[in-house]
PDB file of all heavy atoms in Angstrom:
ATOM      1  N   THR C 197      -8.790  -3.549  -3.417  1.00 97.00           N
ATOM      2  CA  THR C 197      -8.201  -3.302  -4.731  1.00 97.00           C
ATOM      3  C   THR C 197      -7.785  -1.841  -4.835  1.00 97.00           C
ATOM      4  O   THR C 197      -8.389  -0.959  -4.227  1.00 97.00           O
ATOM      5  CB  THR C 197      -9.182  -3.629  -5.862  1.00 97.00           C
ATOM      6  OG1 THR C 197     -10.348  -2.800  -5.742  1.00 97.00           O
ATOM      7  CG2 THR C 197      -9.617  -5.091  -5.825  1.00 97.00           C
ATOM      8  N   THR C 198      -6.756  -1.591  -5.629  1.00 94.00           N
ATOM      9  CA  THR C 198      -6.258  -0.224  -5.747  1.00 94.00           C
ATOM     10  C   THR C 198      -7.183   0.651  -6.572  1.00 94.00           C
ATOM     11  O   THR C 198      -7.098   1.875  -6.497  1.00 94.00           O
ATOM     12  CB  THR C 198      -4.858  -0.212  -6.374  1.00 94.00           C
ATOM     13  OG1 THR C 198      -4.867  -1.004  -7.556  1.00 94.00           O
ATOM     14  CG2 THR C 198      -3.839  -0.764  -5.404  1.00 94.00           C
ATOM     15  N   GLY C 199      -8.083   0.028  -7.364  1.00 95.00           N
ATOM     16  CA  GLY C 199      -9.017   0.824  -8.153  1.00 95.00           C
ATOM     17  C   GLY C 199     -10.177   1.354  -7.337  1.00 95.00           C
ATOM     18  O   GLY C 199     -10.398   2.571  -7.256  1.00 95.00           O
ATOM     19  N   THR C 200     -10.908   0.468  -6.688  1.00 96.00           N
ATOM     20  CA  THR C 200     -12.115   0.870  -5.962  1.00 96.00           C
ATOM     21  C   THR C 200     -12.099   0.505  -4.486  1.00 96.00           C
ATOM     22  O   THR C 200     -13.014   0.859  -3.752  1.00 96.00           O
ATOM     23  CB  THR C 200     -13.362   0.215  -6.605  1.00 96.00           C
ATOM     24  OG1 THR C 200     -13.255  -1.221  -6.490  1.00 96.00           O
ATOM     25  CG2 THR C 200     -13.491   0.607  -8.075  1.00 96.00           C
ATOM     26  N   GLY C 201     -11.066  -0.225  -4.040  1.00 96.00           N
ATOM     27  CA  GLY C 201     -11.040  -0.650  -2.644  1.00 96.00           C
ATOM     28  C   GLY C 201     -11.899  -1.868  -2.367  1.00 96.00           C
ATOM     29  O   GLY C 201     -12.208  -2.165  -1.206  1.00 96.00           O
ATOM     30  N   ALA C 202     -12.296  -2.594  -3.415  1.00 97.00           N
ATOM     31  CA  ALA C 202     -13.129  -3.779  -3.226  1.00 97.00           C
ATOM     32  C   ALA C 202     -12.357  -4.869  -2.488  1.00 97.00           C
ATOM     33  O   ALA C 202     -11.142  -5.021  -2.662  1.00 97.00           O
ATOM     34  CB  ALA C 202     -13.607  -4.304  -4.579  1.00 97.00           C
ATOM     35  N   VAL C 203     -13.072  -5.641  -1.684  1.00 98.00           N
ATOM     36  CA  VAL C 203     -12.454  -6.688  -0.864  1.00 98.00           C
ATOM     37  C   VAL C 203     -12.977  -8.044  -1.323  1.00 98.00           C
ATOM     38  O   VAL C 203     -14.184  -8.310  -1.263  1.00 98.00           O
ATOM     39  CB  VAL C 203     -12.772  -6.471   0.628  1.00 98.00           C
ATOM     40  CG1 VAL C 203     -12.131  -7.575   1.479  1.00 98.00           C
ATOM     41  CG2 VAL C 203     -12.288  -5.097   1.082  1.00 98.00           C
ATOM     42  N   ASP C 204     -12.079  -8.884  -1.801  1.00 98.00           N
ATOM     43  CA  ASP C 204     -12.484 -10.219  -2.236  1.00 98.00           C
ATOM     44  C   ASP C 204     -12.982 -11.047  -1.047  1.00 98.00           C
ATOM     45  O   ASP C 204     -12.530 -10.835   0.090  1.00 98.00           O
ATOM     46  CB  ASP C 204     -11.310 -10.947  -2.891  1.00 98.00           C
ATOM     47  CG  ASP C 204     -10.986 -10.424  -4.283  1.00 98.00           C
ATOM     48  OD1 ASP C 204     -11.862  -9.795  -4.901  1.00 98.00           O
ATOM     49  OD2 ASP C 204      -9.854 -10.651  -4.759  1.00 98.00           O
ATOM     50  N   PRO C 205     -13.892 -12.005  -1.283  1.00 98.00           N
ATOM     51  CA  PRO C 205     -14.446 -12.824  -0.186  1.00 98.00           C
ATOM     52  C   PRO C 205     -13.456 -13.890   0.272  1.00 98.00           C
ATOM     53  O   PRO C 205     -13.612 -15.077  -0.010  1.00 98.00           O
ATOM     54  CB  PRO C 205     -15.707 -13.432  -0.813  1.00 98.00           C
ATOM     55  CG  PRO C 205     -15.402 -13.499  -2.278  1.00 98.00           C
ATOM     56  CD  PRO C 205     -14.536 -12.307  -2.574  1.00 98.00           C
ATOM     57  N   VAL C 206     -12.457 -13.474   1.000  1.00 98.00           N
ATOM     58  CA  VAL C 206     -11.409 -14.390   1.451  1.00 98.00           C
ATOM     59  C   VAL C 206     -12.003 -15.535   2.261  1.00 98.00           C
ATOM     60  O   VAL C 206     -11.614 -16.704   2.115  1.00 98.00           O
ATOM     61  CB  VAL C 206     -10.356 -13.627   2.288  1.00 98.00           C
ATOM     62  CG1 VAL C 206      -9.227 -14.562   2.713  1.00 98.00           C
ATOM     63  CG2 VAL C 206      -9.803 -12.444   1.499  1.00 98.00           C
ATOM     64  N   HIS C 207     -12.959 -15.231   3.109  1.00 97.00           N
ATOM     65  CA  HIS C 207     -13.549 -16.246   3.986  1.00 97.00           C
ATOM     66  C   HIS C 207     -14.260 -17.340   3.199  1.00 97.00           C
ATOM     67  O   HIS C 207     -14.223 -18.504   3.587  1.00 97.00           O
ATOM     68  CB  HIS C 207     -14.507 -15.590   4.975  1.00 97.00           C
ATOM     69  CG  HIS C 207     -15.574 -14.748   4.337  1.00 97.00           C
ATOM     70  ND1 HIS C 207     -15.288 -13.609   3.606  1.00 97.00           N
ATOM     71  CD2 HIS C 207     -16.933 -14.875   4.304  1.00 97.00           C
ATOM     72  CE1 HIS C 207     -16.418 -13.066   3.168  1.00 97.00           C
ATOM     73  NE2 HIS C 207     -17.413 -13.827   3.575  1.00 97.00           N
ATOM     74  N   GLU C 208     -14.894 -16.964   2.107  1.00 97.00           N
ATOM     75  CA  GLU C 208     -15.580 -17.964   1.293  1.00 97.00           C
ATOM     76  C   GLU C 208     -14.597 -18.789   0.471  1.00 97.00           C
ATOM     77  O   GLU C 208     -14.853 -19.957   0.156  1.00 97.00           O
ATOM     78  CB  GLU C 208     -16.598 -17.279   0.381  1.00 97.00           C
ATOM     79  CG  GLU C 208     -17.724 -16.589   1.136  1.00 97.00           C
ATOM     80  CD  GLU C 208     -18.671 -15.846   0.210  1.00 97.00           C
ATOM     81  OE1 GLU C 208     -18.577 -16.037  -1.024  1.00 97.00           O
ATOM     82  OE2 GLU C 208     -19.501 -15.070   0.718  1.00 97.00           O
ATOM     83  N   ALA C 209     -13.470 -18.199   0.126  1.00 97.00           N
ATOM     84  CA  ALA C 209     -12.457 -18.918  -0.643  1.00 97.00           C
ATOM     85  C   ALA C 209     -11.791 -20.022   0.167  1.00 97.00           C
ATOM     86  O   ALA C 209     -11.194 -20.939  -0.404  1.00 97.00           O
ATOM     87  CB  ALA C 209     -11.400 -17.941  -1.157  1.00 97.00           C
ATOM     88  N   LEU C 210     -11.898 -19.962   1.501  1.00 97.00           N
ATOM     89  CA  LEU C 210     -11.306 -21.022   2.320  1.00 97.00           C
ATOM     90  C   LEU C 210     -11.909 -22.385   1.988  1.00 97.00           C
ATOM     91  O   LEU C 210     -11.221 -23.409   2.073  1.00 97.00           O
ATOM     92  CB  LEU C 210     -11.503 -20.705   3.811  1.00 97.00           C
ATOM     93  CG  LEU C 210     -10.734 -19.502   4.366  1.00 97.00           C
ATOM     94  CD1 LEU C 210     -11.073 -19.300   5.835  1.00 97.00           C
ATOM     95  CD2 LEU C 210      -9.235 -19.671   4.182  1.00 97.00           C
ATOM     96  N   GLU C 211     -13.183 -22.417   1.610  1.00 95.00           N
ATOM     97  CA  GLU C 211     -13.812 -23.683   1.221  1.00 95.00           C
ATOM     98  C   GLU C 211     -13.161 -24.245  -0.034  1.00 95.00           C
ATOM     99  O   GLU C 211     -12.966 -25.455  -0.161  1.00 95.00           O
ATOM    100  CB  GLU C 211     -15.311 -23.477   0.992  1.00 95.00           C
ATOM    101  CG  GLU C 211     -16.078 -23.034   2.226  1.00 95.00           C
ATOM    102  CD  GLU C 211     -17.556 -22.825   1.935  1.00 95.00           C
ATOM    103  OE1 GLU C 211     -18.018 -23.293   0.865  1.00 95.00           O
ATOM    104  OE2 GLU C 211     -18.245 -22.187   2.747  1.00 95.00           O
ATOM    105  N   LEU C 212     -12.815 -23.359  -0.973  1.00 96.00           N
ATOM    106  CA  LEU C 212     -12.166 -23.815  -2.201  1.00 96.00           C
ATOM    107  C   LEU C 212     -10.750 -24.295  -1.911  1.00 96.00           C
ATOM    108  O   LEU C 212     -10.255 -25.216  -2.563  1.00 96.00           O
ATOM    109  CB  LEU C 212     -12.146 -22.679  -3.226  1.00 96.00           C
ATOM    110  CG  LEU C 212     -13.514 -22.136  -3.645  1.00 96.00           C
ATOM    111  CD1 LEU C 212     -13.351 -21.047  -4.696  1.00 96.00           C
ATOM    112  CD2 LEU C 212     -14.386 -23.265  -4.180  1.00 96.00           C
ATOM    113  N   LYS C 213     -10.107 -23.670  -0.955  1.00 95.00           N
ATOM    114  CA  LYS C 213      -8.767 -24.111  -0.541  1.00 95.00           C
ATOM    115  C   LYS C 213      -8.822 -25.556  -0.044  1.00 95.00           C
ATOM    116  O   LYS C 213      -7.990 -26.395  -0.426  1.00 95.00           O
ATOM    117  CB  LYS C 213      -8.238 -23.188   0.562  1.00 95.00           C
ATOM    118  CG  LYS C 213      -6.934 -23.631   1.220  1.00 95.00           C
ATOM    119  CD  LYS C 213      -6.533 -22.625   2.302  1.00 95.00           C
ATOM    120  CE  LYS C 213      -5.398 -23.158   3.166  1.00 95.00           C
ATOM    121  NZ  LYS C 213      -4.132 -23.268   2.440  1.00 95.00           N
TER     122      LYS C 213
END
Side-chain angles (χ1 to χ4, degrees):
T197 61
T198 50
T200 63
V203 180
D204 286 339
V206 182
H207 54 296
E208 296 176 11
L210 292 178
E211 297 179 15
L212 300 182
K213 172 180 169 68

